Amino acid sequence: MRTNKKGHNTKKKKKKLLKNEKDISEKIQVIFSTVEKAIIKQSDSEQQIKEKRYKTLNTQISIFALIAFITTIVFMVLNIIDFIKSQRYKQELEVANDKSNYLLKGREQLISTVSHDLKSPIAAISGYGEILAKTDLNEKQSYYISNIIKSSEYLNNLANDLAALTLIEAGKIKLEKSPFSLNQLLIDTAQNIQSIYPNKPIQLIYDLEEELEYNITTDPYRVRQIVTNLIGNAFKFTSEGSITIGSKIESNELVSFYVKDTGIGIKSENLDAVFKEFTQADSTIEKRFGGTGLGLTISAKIAKILGGSISLESEYGSGSCFTVYIGYNGITEIVKQSEKEIKLEATKKALKAMIVDDDEQIITLLKEILMREGIEVYDYNSVAQLINEVKVVNPDFIFTDIQMPEQTGFDLVAQIKNNTATQHIPVIALTGNTDADNNKYQQAGFNALLSKPFSINSITDTINKLLNQPDLFIVNNKHIDARPSAYNLSSIAAFLNNDQQLIKEFLEKSKMNNDVYLDDLNMFYQKKDKAAIKAMSHKMASVFKQMEHKEIISLLKTIEQENKAKELGKLIQQLKIEIDNFYKEVLKKMG
């Protein structure tokens, strides 16, 4: 009984435990379910936030991408527009540049043509003026002729200035360097210009460096252009007082000269303007003093071409000082030459001249000048007419214009010089070109070149020189050797005080020494002693450097550096020929 009761209680407890367990399980399940729901809810919430953020990010990226795309398109469009604009601007600039070049070329051609075409009438005016001035005139007529000559000189200066400016701007200025005394050039130019102003009480003062009495090497014609302009201006703008002209060696490569006057001066605000084309320092100057306003422009440009510059200091009412710097090569002593009088020299026979020109004024002028000197003149309007009669007339010289309609002066000289019957006749070219290439005329066969307008003296002097030495080439009264000299003995002459006998003895001794040196050189060549050949070549070069014989110096330098035996033999043989020819020529000239 008790046992049953006890078992009953155990079951009851067991049942109760099972129930409790079930309740606990259900509660745990509820808790898990609640936690699970909370986790799921939280997860959903987080997912929603993530999705929202993702959508926002996507939206932002899309917006940024769209903005970037639009910006790229805009920049591309802008770049395309800029490219199109730049291409258009480039094309416009090219068109403008072509137009500018065309206009500049047209301007150059116009100025060149005008200045060239002015030469013939100017030559006629000044030539007839000179002829009339030598006739019996009353005071009034002399005054008129004087004004005519002065006006023709002004026109000639204007034509020359225009031509010079055109050449400079086109970069066609060619420098012809030769030795000359800068001091002497300054003095001669100053005195020549002073003679034009005899009524002006102006004193010339010289402040010249003594060493510049010797020759420097640069282009004397271009230097004279600058000097003439500056001294001419000094006289023009100075009514009384003084003009000081100075020179100075600045360095081994640079010299300077200055022109200082006590004239009207220039206002400080106008100092830069005077170097501009067609510009005067004051608008009233052209009316009072004349001028084209080109002189200083040309001078400044030429100074630059000569490797220098020009500067200006001025005080209004007190005067101006122009200083010019120019490059140069070396200083050598002057070897003086005797000057000939500009008169037609007496000849054993009557002289005959032929003239061909399409300008009747020039023909008439030349005839007048030549006939006054007793020369028989034959004139023609075309080359063909002259050629038909040249053998019959057999003239002593021929004057020819260069630019003619059918055949030119070059055609004429070619026909004259290529015919054995006429090649001895000197041919004188008359040209209005200020930029005439001397070498071109010389190589063509002309014996002389005269630029228009020419003077009576220039014609007479040219004839004298051709009669005495027909093998010379003469440019505007200055004779140039028919074959340019390959050497220069000026430094030797200076060292020997220009004593011709001493110079000749030096050359004879030099020839003897070099004959021995050439024999030694050949001996070294046979022995293949390259070191001795090199030493001898170097030794021989020193004397030829002193005589500035470029051809022989170049050959010796080549021999010194040559290693091939075959070439050395040819070079030594060539050197012997050059040296023999040199001494033969120079000793023949020395007499």
Side-chain angles (χ1 to χ4, degrees):
M1 189 75 177
R2 192 180 286 178
T3 304
N4 288 337
K5 191 177 180 179
K6 189 178 180 180
H8 178 74
N9 287 337
T10 302
K11 286 181 182 179
K12 192 177 179 179
K13 286 181 181 179
K14 188 175 181 181
K15 192 174 182 180
K16 189 177 179 179
L17 285 171
L18 288 169
K19 185 180 178 183
N20 289 338
E21 185 179 347
K22 185 178 179 183
D23 289 341
I24 290 168
S25 295
E26 286 177 355
K27 285 180 179 180
I28 289 171
Q29 191 172 359
V30 169
I31 290 169
F32 280 156
S33 178
T34 302
V35 170
E36 185 179 5
K37 285 179 181 179
I39 290 171
I40 291 171
K41 187 177 180 181
Q42 186 177 357
S43 178
D44 289 341
S45 176
E46 288 177 354
Q47 185 65 27
Q48 286 176 359
I49 291 169
K50 284 182 181 179
E51 287 178 357
K52 190 175 181 181
R53 286 178 179 171
Y54 180 73
K55 287 179 180 179
T56 302
L57 185 62
N58 274 347
T59 303
Q60 289 175 343
I61 291 171
S62 299
I63 291 170
F64 288 143
L66 182 61
I67 291 170
F69 177 74
I70 293 169
T71 303
T72 303
I73 295 296
V74 169
F75 276 115
M76 284 179 66
V77 171
L78 290 174
N79 283 334
I80 291 169
I81 292 170
D82 285 343
F83 177 75
I84 293 169
K85 282 183 178 180
S86 67
Q87 289 297 108
R88 188 172 72 249
Y89 292 152
K90 185 179 178 181
Q91 290 174 354
E92 289 174 356
L93 283 171
E94 286 175 354
V95 170
N97 187 50
D98 290 341
K99 187 176 180 180
S100 175
N101 287 337
Y102 175 77
L103 290 172
L104 286 172
K105 191 174 181 181
R107 177 194 178 211
E108 178 188 340
Q109 290 175 342
L110 175 64
I111 292 175
S112 179
T113 303
V114 169
S115 60
H116 176 270
D117 291 348
L118 280 173
K119 293 288 184 177
S120 292
I122 291 171
I125 294 168
S126 61
Y128 284 125
E130 283 189 55
I131 292 171
L132 285 171
K134 293 183 178 182
T135 60
D136 293 330
L137 302 172
N138 59 40
E139 188 177 342
K140 197 172 186 179
Q141 289 171 332
S142 296
Y143 173 75
Y144 291 156
I145 291 299
S146 175
N147 282 335
I148 288 172
I149 293 173
K150 286 179 182 177
S151 296
S152 67
E153 287 173 355
Y154 172 80
L155 285 173
N156 185 46
N157 290 336
L158 174 59
N160 288 337
D161 284 349
L162 288 171
L165 183 63
T166 305
L167 287 174
I168 291 168
E169 289 183 342
K172 294 180 181 177
I173 284 285
K174 294 179 180 178
L175 297 181
E176 295 184 9
K177 296 185 177 182
S178 61
F180 69 99
S181 168
L182 177 60
N183 284 357
Q184 194 60 50
L185 185 149
L186 291 168
I187 292 169
D188 291 346
T189 307
Q191 290 176 349
N192 287 338
I193 295 173
Q194 187 180 37
S195 66
I196 302 171
Y197 300 91
N199 298 324
K200 283 193 172 186
I202 298 173
Q203 182 186 5
L204 278 176
I205 301 171
Y206 298 106
D207 176 26
L208 305 173
E209 184 155 329
E210 188 175 344
E211 196 170 349
L212 285 172
E213 290 177 6
Y214 299 108
N215 283 342
I216 61 169
T217 301
T218 181
D219 190 326
Y221 173 72
R222 301 301 172 189
V223 174
R224 189 180 291 275
Q225 273 187 286
I226 300 172
V227 173
T228 302
N229 184 267
L230 295 183
I231 297 178
N233 282 350
F235 272 98
K236 184 193 296 185
F237 299 120
T238 304
S239 57
E240 60 180 358
S242 64
I243 295 173
T244 304
I245 300 165
S247 63
K248 183 182 178 183
I249 298 174
E250 300 290 339
S251 68
N252 291 334
E253 298 178 347
L254 201 69
V255 295
S256 69
F257 60 88
Y258 70 87
V259 178
K260 185 178 182 180
D261 62 61
T262 57
I264 62 174
I266 303 168
K267 293 178 181 178
S268 57
E269 61 268 24
N270 294 330
L271 290 178
D272 293 332
V274 297
F275 294 105
K276 293 179 181 178
E277 296 175 20
F278 305 103
T279 304
Q280 301 278 15
D282 191 316
S283 58
T284 62
I285 284 178
E286 186 175 354
K287 294 179 182 178
R288 291 169 58 197
F289 300 98
T292 61
L294 285 174
L296 288 175
T297 303
I298 293 168
S299 296
K301 290 179 183 291
I302 291 174
K304 188 175 181 181
I305 292 170
L306 290 169
S309 61
I310 185 168
S311 63
L312 166 62
E313 294 177 5
S314 183
E315 185 177 343
Y316 187 64
S318 298
S320 304
C321 180
F322 288 87
T323 304
V324 180
Y325 301 87
I326 55 171
Y328 77 103
N329 297 324
I331 296 178
T332 56
E333 188 173 341
I334 301 168
V335 179
K336 294 184 178 179
Q337 297 178 342
S338 59
E339 296 181 358
K340 296 179 181 178
E341 293 183 10
I342 306 178
K343 291 180 180 179
L344 189 63
E345 297 175 358
T347 56
K348 293 180 180 179
K349 64 168 187 173
L351 297 176
K352 291 185 287 186
M354 298 181 83
I355 304 169
V356 57
D357 200 315
D358 60 333
D359 190 328
E360 285 294 339
Q361 293 183 63
I362 296 298
I363 288 178
T364 308
L365 173 63
L366 266 175
K367 281 178 69 176
E368 184 70 28
I369 293 171
L370 296 173
M371 288 170 68
R372 284 169 65 91
E373 298 292 342
I375 299 172
E376 188 178 352
V377 181
Y378 299 81
D379 61 277
Y380 307 88
N381 295 115
S382 72
V383 171
Q385 292 174 348
L386 186 147
I387 292 296
N388 287 337
E389 298 185 21
V390 66
K391 291 181 183 178
V392 177
V393 175
N394 189 26
D396 295 284
F397 37 83
I398 297 171
F399 289 89
T400 177
D401 187 29
I402 297 302
Q403 294 183 4
M404 292 178 283
E406 296 174 4
Q407 297 184 74
T408 68
F410 286 100
D411 297 322
L412 168 68
V413 77
Q415 293 177 66
I416 294 293
K417 297 300 180 180
N418 290 332
N419 190 322
T420 53
T422 59
Q423 62 185 196
H424 66 283
I425 302 171
V427 183
I428 302 165
L430 306 172
T431 179
N433 289 330
T434 54
D435 61 331
D437 185 344
N438 297 342
N439 292 330
K440 180 181 176 183
Y441 284 83
Q442 185 176 352
Q443 289 170 9
F446 287 102
N447 298 86
L449 173 63
L450 290 176
S451 297
K452 300 175 185 177
F454 41 78
S455 65
I456 295 173
N457 283 342
S458 66
I459 295 290
T460 309
D461 193 38
T462 298
I463 293 171
N464 283 337
K465 286 171 180 173
L466 287 177
L467 289 174
N468 289 324
Q469 290 179 282
D471 60 333
L472 293 179
F473 179 64
I474 303 166
V475 180
N476 294 326
N477 294 11
K478 296 176 183 177
H479 49 267
I480 301 169
D481 289 340
R483 182 175 66 85
S485 180
Y487 55 87
N488 182 3
L489 300 179
S490 60
S491 60
I492 301 291
F495 182 75
L496 298 173
N497 294 319
N498 201 29
D499 186 317
Q500 297 300 305
Q501 185 59 37
L502 288 177
I503 295 170
K504 186 179 180 181
E505 289 176 6
F506 169 83
L507 289 169
E508 288 172 344
K509 187 173 182 181
S510 172
K511 181 182 183 304
M512 289 173 61
N513 289 337
N514 277 294
D515 286 342
V516 174
Y517 295 156
L518 281 168
D519 290 340
D520 289 345
L521 202 59
N522 272 310
M523 180 181 68
F524 295 145
Y525 170 67
Q526 297 299 329
K527 292 181 177 180
K528 297 181 181 180
D529 189 342
K530 291 182 181 178
I533 291 173
K534 185 175 181 180
M536 180 56 71
S537 301
H538 187 77
K539 181 179 180 179
M540 290 176 72
S542 59
V543 70
F544 290 106
K545 285 179 181 177
Q546 194 73 18
M547 293 185 283
E548 298 181 26
H549 199 305
K550 295 179 182 177
E551 185 74 24
I552 293 176
I553 293 168
S554 177
L555 269 172
L556 286 166
K557 188 174 181 181
T558 306
I559 290 170
E560 192 176 341
Q561 296 173 348
E562 185 59 58
N563 291 317
K564 295 179 181 177
K566 187 177 179 181
E567 294 298 324
L568 267 174
K570 291 179 182 178
L571 288 168
I572 292 170
Q573 187 178 5
Q574 186 181 349
L575 176 67
K576 186 179 187 311
I577 294 169
E578 285 291 336
I579 290 177
D580 287 345
N581 288 339
F582 162 66
Y583 283 111
K584 189 182 295 181
E585 179 184 342
V586 72
L587 288 171
K588 184 180 179 181
K589 284 185 178 181
M590 295 294 296

